[in-house]
Amino acid sequence: MSTGDVDTNVSPQGGEHGEIVHDPPDLPLDYEAFYLGHQEFFHGFAEIHLGSRRVAEQVVHEVLLEILGSWHQLLQEGDLEQQTLAVLHWCVFDRLRRDGRPPAFVINGPIAKNLHAVRNQLELTGSPGGLYEAILELPARQFTVVVLRHLLGYKTSQIARYMGLDARTVDYHGRKGKERLRGQLKLPAAPGKHKTKKGPSQ
């Protein structure tokens, strides 16, 4: 092989096999940790709204690039989980707006089972269309907790970590979300739930 065929980025360890080793992207270590810890959640959230794994991957790629571009600023401003979750929300719903369609809430596999579980808990019968619309009208934190807990099946501890909240605060938003859904769908209050609930400690 002539010297003109040699890539100057070849690793000395890989030289005897002629392997070309490209330098990895220069990513901040804390961003890499964030990516590894959140990519599954981001893809799951995007897929149930967009209805396609391929489209979800495209949008999440955009989300992660957006977060990377503002990474140092996000770290300085604090509340990283809430800010990155807001970017995910915005990108997913912007894609839906551009496509001119409502969220898919994919009705297959485990998502279907989880959705039926939500309907049973709310004592809702008939078409799920009203439930979809009611979920979409929830305040941001209630919406996120209901989607993650009941449609994606995440545990409270996972939701708390992704949202940057205390577990009790997650439970509070989940409870208020279900109460609001019952009100929007004109369903009776859950049995034994008439006593006043206190809000979470912040």
Side-chain angles (χ1 to χ4, degrees):
M1 180 186 294
S2 68
T3 55
D5 295 323
V6 176
D7 191 309
T8 57
N9 289 326
V10 172
S11 166
Q13 288 81 4
E16 59 185 67
H17 298 292
E19 298 164 346
I20 297 177
V21 178
H22 298 282
D23 292 332
D26 187 17
L27 298 176
L29 290 178
D30 45 11
Y31 174 82
E32 288 189 38
F34 173 87
Y35 169 81
L36 293 173
H38 288 73
Q39 61 169 331
E40 180 183 351
F41 156 59
F42 276 27
H43 281 103
F45 183 93
E47 185 173 356
I48 68 168
H49 288 83
L50 299 170
S52 162
R53 184 69 179 184
R54 180 182 59 81
V55 176
E57 288 175 349
Q58 293 173 354
V59 171
V60 170
H61 181 68
E62 296 172 5
V63 170
L64 292 171
L65 287 178
E66 180 78 18
I67 292 171
L68 177 61
S70 306
W71 184 247
H72 294 296
Q73 180 181 346
L74 290 171
L75 290 178
Q76 291 174 0
E77 292 177 357
D79 204 9
L80 179 66
E81 302 293 345
Q82 285 298 304
Q83 292 191 76
T84 53
L85 190 57
V87 175
L88 175 63
H89 274 236
W90 188 90
C91 288
V92 167
F93 283 94
D94 180 63
R95 178 58 182 260
L96 290 171
R97 282 193 296 270
R98 286 188 281 122
D99 289 350
R101 61 191 177 90
F105 286 145
V106 182
I107 308 304
N108 59 24
I111 298 299
K113 295 178 182 177
N114 290 334
L115 183 61
H116 285 303
V118 176
R119 293 173 62 188
N120 291 336
Q121 290 172 17
L122 298 176
E123 300 177 7
L124 178 65
T125 58
S127 171
L131 178 57
Y132 297 160
E133 294 168 1
I135 290 174
L136 290 173
E137 292 174 6
L138 290 173
R141 286 189 173 182
Q142 294 176 20
F143 167 83
T144 302
V145 172
V146 168
V147 168
L148 296 186
R149 175 175 283 170
H150 298 295
L151 296 184
L152 285 175
Y154 281 96
K155 297 178 181 178
T156 297
S157 59
Q158 293 174 297
I159 299 171
R161 178 164 61 86
Y162 291 138
M163 296 184 70
L165 300 174
D166 183 89
R168 290 175 298 174
T169 305
V170 170
D171 286 337
Y172 171 78
H173 288 302
R175 184 170 65 248
K176 298 303 289 185
K178 289 202 291 186
E179 289 174 1
R180 184 180 289 259
L181 287 174
R182 284 194 180 91
Q184 291 175 320
L185 297 168
K186 296 181 172 55
L187 298 171
K193 300 295 183 181
H194 299 292
K195 63 181 180 179
T196 303
K197 295 280 196 302
K198 293 182 180 179
S201 56
Q202 300 294 337

